[in-house]
Structure formats: structure tokens, C-alpha cells
Amino acid sequence: MVKSILIVDDSPVARMIMKKCLPESLGITIIEAKNGQEGVEKYQQHQPDLTFMDLTMPVMDGFTALSLIKAINPQAVVVVATADIQEKVLQRVEDLGALLTLKKPPSKQALADALKRAKEALAQVRS
Ligand SMILES: [Mg+2]
């Protein structure tokens, strides 16, 4: 079950689109952070089930935030959401432990698929 989602993105519009596209958003607690540093702090505070992580952000980028979150909780489920899906970017975030990468802006279907994958990953962690 995904009960809480942390959305880390410096663009308020991107965060809004993400929230709007989340299915069954009823009952899911959404936490927002506007850069990587805030994202890591809010991760620590709220221990969300799932984190959506932008890559290009001021103060601290998503690569750094992803690796810090994975250091806090190696089983953290993090989905990277980025417009830049070059192979080397995909490889780097995979190496850092991201579950998968979504191309921004994500479609409802892509988000639904990501949620499904996240639920499977969480079920594995918790079994
Ligand atoms: Mg950005």
C-alpha cells in the first residue's frame, strides 16, 4: 500500500501536475519539497512510502538527494521524474538505486504504472 508520497521538484507546476495525475489520490498523503535538501529533510521526517524525485534543482540536485535518501534507508522506493532521459542519466540514477525513471511530464498511465511498480517493490520490502 502506498499511503504517503513525497514529491521533490523545484517547479510548483510540475508538482501540481504530478499531484493531479495521481490516481485514487484520496487517502494518500502528499508531501512536497522544492529542492533536494528539503526533500532529504522531509524524507527523514515523514518516511514516505514512495518518493518522486526531480533531477535538476537548486541547492541540492536529485542525484545527491537520491543517494542521501538511499543512505538513510537502502530500501527507500524512489522514482526519478525528469525530462532528461539520456542513457547515461538513466544508468546513473539506476546505479544510485532508483526504482525507475519517468519522463516528465508523465502521463496518467505512466504514473499509474509507476505506482504499481512501487507497490510491488514495497510489498517485497515488507514481506
Ligand atoms: Mg527541476
Side-chain angles (χ1 to χ4, degrees), residues 36 53-57 60-67 80 96:
M53 181 67 71
D54 180 26
L55 290 178
T56 309
M57 292 180 285
M60 181 192 286
D61 67 24
F63 295 107
T64 310
L66 168 60
S67 53
V80 167
L96 290 172

Side-chain angles (χ1 to χ4, degrees), residues 16 34 37 41 49 56 65-66 74 86 91 95 105 113 127:
M16 198 191 68
K34 62 182 183 301
Q37 187 178 312
E41 286 165 9
D49 295 319
T56 309
L66 168 60
Q86 295 175 66
Q91 189 59 56
D95 291 345
D113 290 346
S127 66

Side-chain angles (χ1 to χ4, degrees), residues 2 4-7 48-52 77-79 99 114-115 118 122:
V2 176
S4 53
I5 297 178
L6 170 63
I7 300 172
D49 295 319
L50 168 62
T51 300
F52 286 110
V77 178
V78 181
V79 170
L99 179 68
L115 265 183
L122 283 166

Side-chain angles (χ1 to χ4, degrees), residues 1 12 14 19 32 40 44 54 63-64 66 75 93 95 102 111 116 118 120:
M1 271 272 273
K19 276 197 292 191
E32 295 181 49
V40 174
Q44 221 155 6
D54 180 26
F63 295 107
T64 310
L66 168 60
Q75 294 181 317
V93 296
D95 291 345
L102 273 182
L111 261 183
K116 187 166 172 277
E120 288 163 4

Side-chain angles (χ1 to χ4, degrees), residues 70-85:
K70 282 300 211 178
I72 294 166
N73 176 12
Q75 294 181 317
V77 178
V78 181
V79 170
V80 167
T82 180
D84 180 12
I85 53 160

